[in-house]
Amino acid sequence: MKFLFINGVNLNMTGVREKGVYGSQSLEEINADIKAHFPQDTCEFYQSNYEGDICTKLHTADCDGIILNAGAFTHYSYAIRDAIAAIKIPVIEVHMSNVFRRESFRHESVISEVCAGTIVGFGKNSYILAAQSFKL
Ligand code: DQA
């Protein structure tokens, strides 16, 4: 299968920011661990801090499934919500932290209703579980 992993705003700071929440591995290290779980599959990794760039990446995606951690955009980006709704490829929303055990603004996702499913709280394994679900 062809997977596209998209990480949104501030995810490039993983391993540097809030290590108690997101761990000490960098995004590149996490991506390498994800790829190691899917030796037979094609994994593309994309990160951007820009909402419009993430929309364009969604519009132009060519893959079987998208795994999206939109970061804080999750909680307010109607643009990303509409970009997901505009495409046919299924998108799974993921979060490394358990957003429901955190501040109340993180309890709302404006993208969940247009995603195929949501996985939260398993650290880097949230990405792996999401990709595995496409193979069930
Ligand atoms: C996050 C949770 C978001 O609330 C936060 O803004 C992030 C990361 C997560 O992976 O747990 O940047 O999406």
Side-chain angles (χ1 to χ4, degrees), residues 3 5 15 19-20 25 41-42 54 56 60 68-71 76 79-81 93-95 106 109 115 118-119 129 131:
F3 297 128
F5 297 82
K19 291 185 186 183
Q25 280 189 297
D41 302 294
T42 301
I54 291 171
T56 302
T60 57
L68 171 64
N69 184 350
Y76 63 88
I80 291 175
R81 183 238 180 259
E93 172 187 359
V94 303
H95 301 285
R106 297 185 204 277
S109 165
C115 288
T118 302
I119 297 177
L129 290 165

Side-chain angles (χ1 to χ4, degrees), residues 9-11 17 22 69-72 74-75 94-99 102 105-106 127:
V9 63
N10 294 318
L11 271 303
R17 69 162 178 161
Y22 303 114
N69 184 350
T74 303
H75 312 301
V94 303
H95 301 285
M96 287 193 277
S97 65
N98 183 347
V99 285
R102 302 182 64 196
F105 77 87
R106 297 185 204 277
Y127 298 96

